[in-house]
Amino acid sequence: MHWAYATVEIKGGYFEKTSNDAYFGNENCIFLYACKGLIEGAEVVSRKGACIEVSRSDLSGEAFKIKDCTVTSNFVGNGDANKYWQGTAVAASMEGEIEIEGGTYTGHYALATYVESYNPDGRITCTGATLRGSEADVSDTDGDGIISVN
């Protein structure tokens, strides 16, 4: 988890969230709040919570970049009201912006935007990636999340 205005750069590595417990109130494997940077060539696995979530964009206005990663959500919903969100590979929320290039993204939703009480939702642009699962705006408040896949 990285907080506001940090520059985060991850090149390679394996990141796994095996617990069902929340960490500082967040259930995601990698949670980036108002950060800029890059995750490249990493493998990210989560059994509950979005594998990677970008919430809010950095003040620079740059989208967070994810390149050539393998991201897999193994969450199986068991009546959980947020089962779809919990099973998302890559998520953008609260104006977070993500650019994805290459890689494989697997989950109930491969990509999702989501917001609880803030508008607009996040934005995801995805190019040249393999997506396994749905692509969906799963906003609870009918926000204006955008997912663009090429």
Side-chain angles (χ1 to χ4, degrees):
M1 177 186 307
H2 292 278
W3 289 101
Y5 315 116
T7 298
V8 176
E9 188 170 293
I10 298 171
K11 292 195 174 182
Y14 179 80
F15 303 85
E16 181 176 12
K17 181 174 182 294
T18 58
S19 163
N20 283 332
D21 297 331
Y23 178 69
F24 289 118
N26 194 287
E27 297 178 331
N28 305 328
C29 189
I30 297 176
F31 177 72
L32 303 156
Y33 183 87
C35 296
K36 63 181 177 181
L38 166 74
I39 300 174
E40 181 176 10
E43 183 175 358
V44 182
V45 178
S46 181
R47 66 185 278 205
K48 184 174 183 184
C51 293
I52 300 171
E53 180 181 351
V54 175
S55 183
R56 296 207 183 274
S57 292
D58 180 77
L59 289 176
S60 68
E62 293 178 42
F64 194 89
K65 294 170 180 49
I66 300 173
K67 184 175 181 181
D68 298 325
C69 291
T70 301
V71 180
T72 307
S73 172
N74 291 320
F75 180 70
V76 177
N78 55 1
D80 188 337
N82 265 339
K83 66 182 175 183
Y84 304 119
W85 180 249
Q86 298 293 344
T88 298
V90 177
S93 64
M94 293 173 47
E95 299 179 340
E97 189 170 347
I98 304 169
E99 291 176 5
I100 297 172
E101 181 182 333
T104 302
Y105 306 87
T106 304
H108 182 86
Y109 289 135
L111 310 174
T113 64
Y114 180 87
V115 67
E116 289 184 32
S117 58
Y118 302 96
N119 285 320
D121 293 350
R123 296 172 184 255
I124 299 174
T125 302
C126 180
T127 305
T130 299
L131 304 177
R132 295 187 176 120
S134 300
E135 305 143 32
D137 175 351
V138 291
S139 170
D140 281 347
T141 59
D142 299 322
D144 59 355
I146 295 173
I147 297 173
S148 173
V149 177
N150 297 319

